[in-house]
Amino acid sequence: MQHDEVIWKVINHGFCSYKVRTKLQGKDTQNFCRNEYNVTGLCNRQSCPLANSRYATIVEKEGWCYLYIKTIERAHSPKNLWEKIRLPKNYSKSLDLIDKHLEFFPKTMIHRNKQRLTKIHQYLIRMRKLQLKVTPKLVGEPKKIKRREKRREQKAEKIALIDRAIKSELVQRLQSGMYGDIYNFPKQVYKDVLEEVSEQKEDEKEGEQEEEEEEEEEEE
C-alpha cells in the first residue's frame, strides 16, 4: 500500500535521483526537481509527483499539450498509473477541460496546472514566430581544415609568382632576340608567352592604324 508521508521522508532526507541542489556561496538556496511530471519544477512536498498519490500535471509533446492525471486507484499498476488526456490547441477550451477533469482536486493544484499550460502556450507561440523569421545559419569551420587551406593558398601564391617571373623573363629575352631556336622550355608557359607577345603586337598595330586614320582626317 502506498503511503505518501513515508515516501516523502525517504526522498527528502535520503537520496532522490531527480533532486538538484543549487548552491550560492556554499549555502543551499533552492532544491529543484528534474522529473518530467513535476508541475512546478520545485522539490517540495506539494509538488513532488512521487510522494503524492493524487496528482495532475501538463506535459508538452511535439506541439501538443497533454493533461496527465494520477489517482490512488491505479497505484497497483505502474503501467497505467497516469491517465493521458490530449488538450485542444485552443487555450480557453484547454482551461475548460482542465476544470472539468480536475473538478475535485485542490484549488492550488488546478491553479498550478493552468499556470503551466499558460507558460507552455507562450513558448509554443514564440517558437512559431521564430520559425517564420529568416535567421542566419551558423556553420562551424574546423581549425585543421582552415590551416590546411591557408597553407595551400600560400603555396599557390608562391607558384604563381614564379610563373609570372618566368613569363616576364621569357618575354624580355624573346623581344631582345636572344634565342634563335627555342628548346627546353615548359610548353604551357611558352604558349602563354607567345600569346602575350602576339596580343602586344596586335595592340601596337591597332594603335598605329588609329594614328594614321587620325592624321588623314586632319589633312582632309
Side-chain angles (χ1 to χ4, degrees), residues 77-110:
S77 176
K79 178 185 166 183
N80 305 313
L81 185 61
W82 294 91
E83 182 185 356
K84 184 180 177 182
I85 301 160
R86 191 165 85 167
L87 299 174
K89 294 208 171 184
N90 189 296
Y91 179 66
S92 57
K93 288 181 180 178
S94 299
L95 292 176
D96 294 338
L97 202 63
I98 288 170
D99 287 329
K100 180 183 175 182
H101 286 283
L102 305 182
E103 184 179 357
F104 302 105
F105 275 69
K107 288 185 179 180
T108 53
M109 181 63 68
I110 297 169

Side-chain angles (χ1 to χ4, degrees), residues 9-68:
K9 282 179 182 178
V10 171
I11 290 171
N12 191 31
H13 300 292
F15 172 76
C16 178
S17 60
Y18 297 111
K19 188 187 289 186
V20 178
R21 294 183 180 180
T22 58
K23 290 187 178 182
L24 181 64
Q25 296 179 356
K27 297 179 181 179
D28 291 341
T29 55
Q30 182 67 56
N31 292 338
F32 293 97
C33 181
R34 291 184 296 188
N35 194 310
E36 62 174 334
Y37 297 113
N38 194 309
V39 72
T40 61
L42 301 174
C43 182
N44 54 42
R45 176 70 179 81
Q46 291 78 25
S47 301
C48 184
L50 303 176
N52 287 282
S53 55
R54 197 177 182 204
Y55 199 79
T57 186
I58 306 289
V59 178
E60 183 267 325
K61 289 182 180 179
E62 297 179 356
W64 286 93
C65 294
Y66 296 89
L67 174 64
Y68 281 75

Side-chain angles (χ1 to χ4, degrees), residues 113-128:
N113 278 279
K114 286 182 178 179
Q115 279 184 324
R116 187 173 175 84
L117 179 70
T118 306
K119 284 288 181 186
I120 290 170
H121 268 269
Q122 285 173 354
Y123 80 67
L124 286 174
I125 290 165
R126 285 199 300 273
M127 282 170 63
R128 292 190 198 105

